[in-house]
Amino acid sequence: MSKTVFLETHNLKNKATGLGTFNYELIKGLYQLDFNDLELTLNAKEPKILKAEFGDKFKYHKYTNLSRHHIFRVRKKYDLWHSVNQNTKVEPFHVNKYLLTVHDVNFAEEISSDMTHKVNALFRAKLEKSTAITYISEFAKKQTHDYFQVPNVPEYVIHNGNPISTLLDTSSFVSKIPVDKPFLYAIGDFLERKNFLSLAKMMVHITDFNLIISGNNNKSYGKEIERFINENHLQNRVFLTGKVNETAKQFYLSKCLAFVFPSIREGFGLPPIEAMSFGKPVFLSDKTSLPEIGGENSYYWNNFDPEYMKTILVDGLNDFYSNQKEKEDLMKERAASFDWKVAATEYLKVYRKCLI
């Protein structure tokens, strides 16, 4: 009889977020594999949509907001429950074996380092009932051990895959943002930790090309960046697109001069891998997980002084484009090393180890 595994994947409802992407791409990776010894159940708000794509390969459970509350938790006993991110409030009523995937514990730095704080207490409860723990990066593992007492259970680091599995035809896409001048590109949620303001400040010292940033900029940090753009008369050189679809994202990634991502807290960092898929030079902060993702052929900022950032950028562009073909191939090779099918294979191995 097949062992039963419940994947708490309700975050896939928003594929535009990092967690939504992780949920969806992990499912797609699993779909390509054989797991006849296991019965995998996906938790989703709209199971019919998933079933239309993945058929009978999986079982499906309908997610409701009520399931966050203890009395309405999933009562069916599964052999293994996989909590696919550390922030989910959806937990099993009965705990048999429990796998926790940790993306980051930024909340210990950004919300409170007080271990009695609710957010830390919720995470500690997950750690304490874990049969095993997976991390999406070595950094995420180190960060977790820095802040929490991690139980003596098996731990695994499984890198995410590249979210761009198909290169789209973007020839008919028409950008509302001018792209007649060479431009730098960045994409991500407008949170302070993404550090996009440092890019706008760098652009005060750069006139040769533009900067385009995509992502939800309707937050206070987005408004702060907009004010800086206006106050420094950068409206014709720094552009915020708001959220973009996959076609627009791939268009900007394929046309940009370089991808810039100065994030100061990143559990993994999918956007740099997407940029590397197009053979683009990638400029990253040297903080948290980004050197682990970017590898030795990316370029790094170790501080965010605008003139220093410009110097690293200009020197890096000169280095990259002086040997463009070889550098592009190295970037594409690096991107290809992150594979969701490989990641899904590793998760299946962990499931089976947990179920012994």
Side-chain angles (χ1 to χ4, degrees), residues 205-243:
H205 305 279
I206 293 174
T207 56
D208 296 340
F209 33 81
N210 294 339
L211 168 67
I212 298 175
I213 310 177
S214 295
N216 178 13
N217 59 315
N218 291 326
K219 301 177 180 180
S220 59
Y221 187 60
K223 301 303 179 189
E224 183 181 349
I225 293 172
E226 286 179 355
R227 282 195 300 273
F228 182 87
I229 291 169
N230 293 330
E231 288 169 2
N232 290 275
H233 310 292
L234 294 170
Q235 298 94 323
N236 294 322
R237 291 195 289 119
V238 179
F239 303 94
L240 309 182
T241 68
K243 288 183 179 180

Side-chain angles (χ1 to χ4, degrees), residues 97-166:
K97 295 193 173 181
Y98 188 93
L99 174 65
L100 174 63
T101 293
V102 179
H103 298 252
D104 64 65
V105 293
N106 288 335
F107 49 84
E109 299 175 6
E110 296 177 349
I111 298 176
S112 175
S113 59
D114 177 359
M115 288 297 112
T116 65
H117 190 283
K118 182 180 178 181
V119 69
N120 293 325
L122 286 169
F123 180 66
R124 281 204 333 274
K126 288 175 180 289
L127 286 175
E128 289 164 5
K129 65 188 172 192
S130 294
T131 306
I133 304 168
T134 60
Y135 304 91
I136 65 170
S137 64
E138 293 289 350
F139 167 74
K141 180 179 179 181
K142 179 183 182 301
Q143 187 189 36
T144 302
H145 280 264
D146 285 347
Y147 284 96
F148 294 91
Q149 187 70 40
V150 178
N152 184 23
V153 298
E155 297 177 273
Y156 310 89
V157 173
I158 304 175
H159 282 153
N160 294 345
N162 183 347
I164 293 184
S165 54
T166 305

Side-chain angles (χ1 to χ4, degrees), residues 10 63-75 81 88-94 118 122:
H10 86 274
Y63 162 79
T64 66
N65 289 334
L66 283 174
S67 63
R68 293 165 174 256
H69 303 283
H70 187 275
I71 193 171
F72 296 110
R73 286 179 175 177
V74 177
R75 295 195 175 230
W81 180 285
T88 180
K89 296 182 175 65
V90 180
E91 294 289 314
F93 194 87
H94 304 279
K118 182 180 178 181
L122 286 169

Side-chain angles (χ1 to χ4, degrees), residues 27 39 54-55 77 118 151 155 184 207 240 254 261 294 301 356:
I27 291 168
E39 180 184 284
F54 301 113
K77 291 183 179 179
K118 182 180 178 181
E155 297 177 273
L184 309 173
T207 56
L240 309 182
S254 66
F261 198 70
W301 291 299
I356 292 174

